Amino acid sequence: MKNNGKIDNTGKIENKMRSAGKLKRELPLIIMLIPSVILVLIYSYGSMVGTVIAFQKFNIAKGLFGSEWIGLVNFRNLFSMPNIWPIIRNTVVIALGKMIGGILVPVIFALMLNEVSKGKLKKAFQTMVYLPNFLSWVILASIFTDILSPSTGIVNHFLGFLGVEPIFFLGSTTWFPITMIITDIWKVFGFGSIIYLAALTGIDQNLYEASQIDGAGRIKQTIYVTLPGILSTIILMSVLSMGNILNGGFDQIYNMYNASVYETGDILDTFVFRLGIENAQYALSTAANLFKSGVSLVFVTASYGLAYKFAGYRIF
């Protein structure tokens, strides 16, 4: 019994020494993390106090804690506005288009790039499609405005060469949402393809050899080996993107839209910006943003549950 007690005490001492050593090694990383944690607490959690404005008849002179409490009146006023439902529809349509294209295009590109045998050429293509991810929409908006111009844009010059009438991509209610979806996919698909290329490297090469013995060509190998091998990654990325169902992309649309395309191009983020910043209707804009955050929270929670069920993904 005494020997067992000594062994137990020795084990506890060793565990404490390991913990102390681990803490000492990781202390510089913890110190480096502190400024980021402070910023998150201030800007992500501290700012949540302002959501109380959604339930007030907010008055700047009276301040956050002196304004009159009116409950859900702002939400009733918000949903009685004639343009709120078209705005929600626009947000969902644009966001869904970006989500679907943001999954299909990277998968297809990763499959095509995986067939390239020359390493340098493969890296060159990967770098080229990844670069737009680093450009802001302020820069890209100017570029696309020039490229898609109905009078001087290169796209319409090419369409004119084919005998097609010029298209006002950024001024047409029909073409504007399509343009937003396509340009967003062009910008981000290079980043998404990296995830799928990484998944492709994890497929057992013996499966390809076995399929070749069975007489499968490249197309059948892709269908029966490659796609099933990355299916869990595709499901995971699809499910996790559900949280962005009401994120149409403020940076992109704000820099590229105009009053003539509000009918199909105005989304919740731009609507909130105009209400709060341009029209100083702080209570209504807070209510709209809180509604969007609530819906996103539901979808994020559901998406993580589905990700665990279908792909075995867990945060903790």
Side-chain angles (χ1 to χ4, degrees):
M1 296 293 292
K2 290 182 179 180
N3 290 334
N4 290 336
K6 288 181 180 179
I7 292 172
D8 291 342
N9 289 331
T10 303
K12 290 180 180 178
I13 292 170
E14 289 178 353
N15 288 334
K16 288 182 180 178
M17 291 178 64
R18 286 197 206 97
S19 300
K22 186 178 180 181
L23 179 62
K24 186 176 180 180
R25 289 194 304 272
E26 295 181 353
L27 187 60
L29 300 176
I30 295 172
I31 293 173
M32 291 172 63
L33 191 63
I34 289 175
S36 300
V37 172
I38 292 172
L39 288 174
V40 169
L41 290 174
I42 293 173
Y43 291 105
S44 296
Y45 290 93
S47 60
M48 290 177 69
V49 177
T51 57
V52 72
I53 296 174
F55 307 96
Q56 293 178 330
K57 187 177 181 181
F58 184 69
N59 188 307
I60 295 180
K62 294 181 180 179
L64 190 64
F65 301 104
S67 298
E68 179 186 354
W69 183 271
I70 58 175
L72 299 176
V73 172
N74 287 319
F75 290 92
R76 287 198 293 268
N77 292 338
L78 175 69
F79 290 108
S80 65
M81 297 178 73
N83 58 339
I84 186 62
W85 293 111
I87 288 171
I88 293 174
R89 177 204 64 204
N90 297 341
T91 306
V92 173
V93 168
I94 293 174
L96 275 177
K98 290 180 177 181
M99 286 165 52
I100 295 170
I103 293 166
L104 291 177
V105 175
V107 169
I108 294 170
F109 179 78
L111 292 174
M112 294 172 64
L113 195 61
N114 192 51
E115 297 298 320
V116 178
S117 58
K118 293 184 179 180
K120 291 184 178 179
L121 185 62
K122 190 173 183 178
K123 289 180 181 179
F125 277 122
Q126 192 171 341
T127 302
M128 282 190 292
V129 299
Y130 186 59
L131 281 176
N133 193 64
F134 294 99
L135 299 176
S136 72
W137 276 114
V138 176
I139 297 170
L140 289 177
S142 299
I143 294 172
F144 280 123
T145 300
D146 290 334
I147 291 175
L148 301 175
S149 170
S151 56
T152 60
I154 188 172
V155 174
N156 275 302
H157 276 306
F158 178 73
L159 292 176
F161 176 75
L162 296 177
V164 180
E165 290 294 325
I167 299 173
F168 197 176
F169 290 98
L170 301 181
S172 167
T173 54
T174 302
W175 282 99
F176 183 82
I178 298 172
T179 305
M180 295 301 98
I181 293 170
I182 293 174
T183 52
D184 182 79
I185 292 170
W186 171 84
K187 183 179 186 294
V188 302
F189 86 91
F191 177 79
S193 64
I194 292 176
I195 298 172
Y196 298 110
L197 282 170
L200 287 169
T201 60
I203 299 175
D204 188 356
Q205 296 301 310
N206 292 326
L207 295 174
Y208 289 106
E209 294 176 4
S211 64
Q212 283 180 341
I213 293 172
D214 290 337
R218 298 305 298 174
I219 296 176
K220 287 190 175 181
Q221 286 179 21
T222 301
I223 296 172
Y224 295 107
V225 178
T226 307
L227 285 176
I230 63 172
L231 184 61
S232 60
T233 304
I234 296 173
I235 292 173
L236 176 62
M237 299 303 295
S238 302
V239 169
L240 294 182
S241 65
M242 285 174 55
N244 295 318
I245 193 67
L246 289 185
N247 285 330
F250 172 79
D251 292 346
Q252 177 197 21
I253 292 180
Y254 180 74
N255 283 289
M256 297 177 74
Y257 84 152
N258 53 76
S260 65
V261 294
Y262 280 176
E263 182 183 344
T264 58
D266 199 14
I267 60 172
L268 275 171
D269 288 332
T270 53
F271 176 67
V272 168
F273 179 84
R274 289 202 311 279
L275 275 179
I277 304 301
E278 296 180 3
N279 300 331
Q281 298 185 44
Y282 303 113
L284 268 179
S285 64
T286 306
N289 206 42
L290 188 58
F291 162 73
K292 176 194 164 186
S293 300
V295 174
S296 297
L297 176 62
V298 172
F299 275 97
V300 166
T301 305
S303 67
Y304 280 116
L306 292 171
Y308 174 67
K309 182 177 180 180
F310 293 106
Y313 175 81
R314 297 185 69 174
I315 304 177
F316 304 108

